[in-house]
Amino acid sequence: MANEKKGIMQEFKEFVSKGNVIDMAVGVIIGGAFTAIVTSLVNDIFTPIIGTVLGGINFENFGISIPWGNEPFINLGNFIQNIITFLLTAICLFIIVKGINALKRKKPAAPAAPAAPSKEEVLLTEIRDLLKAQAENK
């Protein structure tokens, strides 16, 4: 039992210390903060402007009351705000991922320099040049 517990603890340490898990955790935290910013942008700036353009609609109170039972209120304005928040977040993340992918694209590799001739090639070239020189001297 102690060996199994130690093995699980070691496995857990290896799992947590991997870069992917830490990167994912940082991404989730930053994503949550980013979503809060986009939510504020939508709720505090975009929807009041959209409401004004549409004739003074207040999205916080925009909805339907159902006239039976305890008269439930279906909050359509909140739903519309959440759709706008989702779309803006998705667009921003798309742009960020597209930018990162553009940076990651490999630049075309520079053509490799020609390999230096082998010793045999150098020797054969010298022999050829000597034979050519001898033929010219005759």
Side-chain angles (χ1 to χ4, degrees), residues 2 7 16 25 38 46-47 67 85 92-93 97 110 123 125 128-129:
V16 170
V38 172
F46 286 159
T47 51
T85 300
C92 290
L93 290 177
V97 169
L123 184 59
T125 304
R128 180 197 65 199
D129 293 342

Side-chain angles (χ1 to χ4, degrees), residues 110-118 121:
S118 66
E121 289 176 13

Side-chain angles (χ1 to χ4, degrees), residues 118-130:
S118 66
K119 290 182 183 179
E120 292 85 13
E121 289 176 13
V122 171
L123 184 59
L124 288 171
T125 304
E126 289 176 2
I127 292 171
R128 180 197 65 199
D129 293 342
L130 286 173

Side-chain angles (χ1 to χ4, degrees), residues 11-134:
E11 214 174 314
F12 180 72
K13 282 181 185 179
E14 290 173 8
F15 173 75
V16 170
S17 66
K18 286 184 181 177
N20 294 341
V21 174
I22 295 169
D23 292 344
M24 186 176 67
V26 169
V28 167
I29 292 167
I30 290 174
F34 182 73
T35 301
I37 291 169
V38 172
T39 300
S40 175
L41 178 71
V42 170
N43 294 343
D44 301 332
I45 296 173
F46 286 159
T47 51
I49 292 171
I50 293 170
T52 302
V53 170
L54 295 177
I57 295 174
N58 182 356
F59 278 92
E60 291 179 12
N61 300 323
F62 180 66
I64 301 170
S65 288
I66 301 175
W68 65 77
N70 60 357
E71 295 190 23
F73 181 73
I74 299 173
N75 193 345
L76 296 174
N78 190 30
F79 180 69
I80 292 169
Q81 286 179 329
N82 286 329
I83 289 173
I84 295 169
T85 300
F86 170 76
L87 291 174
L88 284 177
T89 303
I91 289 168
C92 290
L93 290 177
F94 174 76
I95 291 169
I96 290 169
V97 169
K98 194 158 179 66
I100 289 171
N101 287 341
L103 292 175
K104 283 186 176 180
R105 284 192 190 120
K106 293 183 179 178
K107 296 176 183 172
S118 66
K119 290 182 183 179
E120 292 85 13
E121 289 176 13
V122 171
L123 184 59
L124 288 171
T125 304
E126 289 176 2
I127 292 171
R128 180 197 65 199
D129 293 342
L130 286 173
L131 289 172
K132 192 185 277 187
Q134 282 179 355

